[in-house]
Amino acid sequence: MPVKQKEPLIMHPRPSSIVAALYTLRDLDTDVVILHGPPGCSFKHARLLEEDGMRVVTTSLDESGFVFGGHDSLVEVLEKVIERFKPKRIGIVGTCASMIIGEELHEAVTQVQPDVPVIEVEVHAGYRDNTKGVIMALESALAAGIISEAEFERQKALLKEATMVEKRHGAASKEYLEPSRGDLKYKVAERLLELMKQGKKGLNILNAKKETAFMFADINLAVAQVAEKFGTRVINMANLDENLGLPKNRRNAREIREELTQKGFEIHHIIGGLDEYPIAGDTASRIIGEKYSDFDFAVITGVPHALPMENIKNMELFSITNGPRQVVPLKEMGHKHVVVEIDLHPKTLGVNHIVESEFGATLREMSKDA
């Protein structure tokens, strides 16, 4: 009888399925989400998402609700949401507390009978992979007729690969990952400037996850600007296909491309959409193998660990991430320089323009005296 491989125990905190469902509802242009659970559940992310224009309210279940149920509270909040916000689309998301006591979200919706679509996500945080929350939100969106079957299958395939990327070289790759701030930015910028002054050929790759591209793109822009100053040949790639993904992702890709174009940044190769970061690295790798395998260095922003090493292993790699636990896996892959843009995500919520990065600013400033 074959022995079933046991999944490794991962002890460091990882993203929650509830939060993943919230972000997916945001990407679906949901106006208001009701979190059916305790008032503090997912507080930080709920507040951040409000910066992105989506209202997040709670049924504020207390100890009494944990015992006797929160159906009446959910009905009351749903009615108030309709009256107060007049939303075009509503989401209702479960929490650990409401799901453990067996709350049926649909019963409240049936009782209230809203005249707008409601996406019900009966999710808790007890799943090993946070992508489960995304899939559950998408399943409900499909059932409500908000996305097509083809888009649902596409998203499912991307999520499966995103999970594998994290298990191979990301936050789910080790039992415990020590957080790190990475290499000093001015030291990394100094080495990059040195290579550019020597006339070395470089790849400048944006492979960012959704809205984080608003800041990662600034780094690629800075690299291109400095390369132009030194006459260095740099090839730019970006996962900014504005025709792919959920509504918000397509909109953000278009906004970033327009701003990059206005600033003179030429994208030589589009490698995917903003939700295709798990597979865009494969596209970039194929292009590199066909055309640029003799280049000297590569700057990779966003999700560098999604780019296979096969065709870049002989290059000097500069990687910029926003995950402190991503430093060790990237170093182990062979990325020589790893920079962390801490607090990147909160700064890119609710914006529709490129946000200045610390590394981009450092590179620009140091190039003045180079």
Side-chain angles (χ1 to χ4, degrees):
M1 185 176 172
V3 178
K4 189 177 178 183
Q5 252 345 72
K6 192 175 178 182
E7 284 201 44
L9 173 66
I10 297 170
M11 296 190 291
H12 54 262
R14 285 179 294 154
S16 147
S17 299
I18 298 170
V19 172
L22 287 172
Y23 276 92
T24 305
L25 291 171
R26 186 271 321 258
D27 292 346
L28 288 161
D29 282 346
T30 304
D31 300 302
V32 185
V33 171
I34 302 169
L35 264 173
H36 187 33
C41 183
S42 305
F43 164 71
K44 182 178 178 183
H45 287 280
R47 191 168 64 177
L48 288 172
L49 283 165
E50 292 219 303
E51 295 297 318
D52 239 356
M54 184 174 79
R55 301 276 77 82
V56 182
V57 300
T58 173
T59 53
S60 301
L61 279 186
D62 57 12
E63 291 168 314
S64 173
F66 295 170
V67 176
F68 299 107
H71 171 83
D72 292 345
S73 298
L74 181 55
V75 168
E76 182 184 357
V77 172
L78 182 54
E79 288 174 341
K80 283 190 176 181
V81 160
I82 293 167
E83 180 187 347
R84 183 182 185 93
F85 299 106
K86 299 181 174 44
K88 294 177 181 173
R89 186 173 295 163
I90 301 170
I92 303 178
V93 174
T95 61
C96 297
S98 59
M99 293 297 99
I100 285 172
I101 62 175
E103 288 284 289
E104 296 286 346
L105 305 181
H106 190 63
E107 284 184 5
V109 178
T110 302
Q111 183 172 331
V112 175
Q113 294 283 315
D115 58 1
V116 296
V118 179
I119 305 174
E120 305 154 20
V121 192
E122 295 196 348
V123 64
H124 53 72
Y127 298 101
R128 278 182 174 268
D129 302 323
N130 71 311
T131 48
K132 182 70 177 174
V134 182
I135 291 172
M136 294 173 82
L138 291 170
E139 283 173 340
S140 186
L142 174 65
I146 293 168
I147 60 171
S148 66
E149 182 77 37
E151 181 61 26
F152 174 68
E153 292 299 330
R154 176 180 168 276
Q155 291 288 335
K156 263 207 320 183
L158 289 174
L159 291 164
K160 183 179 176 184
E161 188 51 34
T163 300
M164 293 311 299
V165 165
E166 292 310 311
K167 288 184 177 179
R168 283 194 293 265
H169 300 294
S173 60
K174 290 184 185 299
E175 186 175 88
Y176 183 76
L177 281 166
E178 197 74 42
S180 166
R181 294 299 177 94
D183 299 315
L184 291 174
K185 291 182 176 67
Y186 83 94
K187 283 286 186 186
V188 176
E190 188 175 59
R191 175 59 183 161
L192 186 54
L193 289 171
E194 192 177 304
L195 290 173
M196 288 190 187
K197 283 192 289 185
Q198 291 171 2
K200 302 290 186 183
K201 295 180 293 185
L203 298 171
N204 189 23
I205 304 168
L206 171 71
N207 184 34
K209 181 179 180 180
K210 302 183 179 181
E211 66 272 11
T212 64
F214 279 116
M215 185 181 285
F216 283 124
D218 177 66
I219 296 164
N220 298 99
L221 179 61
V223 170
Q225 290 169 335
V226 175
E228 185 179 5
K229 175 180 175 181
F230 293 130
T232 307
R233 187 185 179 199
V234 164
I235 295 296
N236 304 317
M237 304 183 189
N239 64 325
L240 290 174
D241 191 327
E242 60 195 68
N243 299 310
L244 293 171
L246 300 181
K248 183 178 187 300
N249 296 323
R250 294 199 304 268
R251 190 164 59 244
N252 290 166
R254 185 178 66 252
E255 291 162 348
I256 295 169
R257 281 184 70 169
E258 286 175 354
E259 188 169 346
L260 286 173
T261 301
Q262 288 168 7
K263 293 180 177 178
F265 183 95
E266 180 184 358
I267 301 176
H268 300 99
H269 299 280
I270 291 289
I271 56 174
L274 280 176
D275 59 0
E276 291 194 324
Y277 61 92
I279 60 171
D282 293 329
T283 305
S285 179
R286 177 180 52 75
I287 296 169
I288 294 166
E290 291 171 356
K291 297 186 174 189
Y292 309 115
S293 58
D294 62 335
F295 272 43
D296 303 293
F297 69 91
V299 178
I300 312 167
T301 65
V303 190
H305 53 293
L307 193 68
M309 290 295 292
E310 183 183 357
N311 293 315
I312 56 173
K313 62 187 175 189
N314 295 323
M315 301 178 192
E316 188 165 336
L317 301 180
F318 297 77
S319 296
I320 299 89
T321 174
N322 64 324
R325 295 187 193 278
Q326 197 53 58
V327 175
V328 170
L330 282 168
K331 290 281 186 180
E332 289 180 353
M333 287 176 75
H335 294 241
K336 188 171 183 180
H337 313 280
V338 181
V339 170
V340 178
E341 286 285 347
I342 207 76
D343 291 334
L344 176 148
H345 199 204
K347 293 176 182 173
T348 54
L349 284 165
V351 302
N352 58 5
H353 57 84
I354 292 174
V355 178
E356 186 181 63
S357 62
E358 286 187 5
F359 187 65
T362 303
L363 194 61
R364 290 185 182 98
E365 189 62 29
M366 290 181 67
S367 72
K368 291 178 181 175
D369 302 321

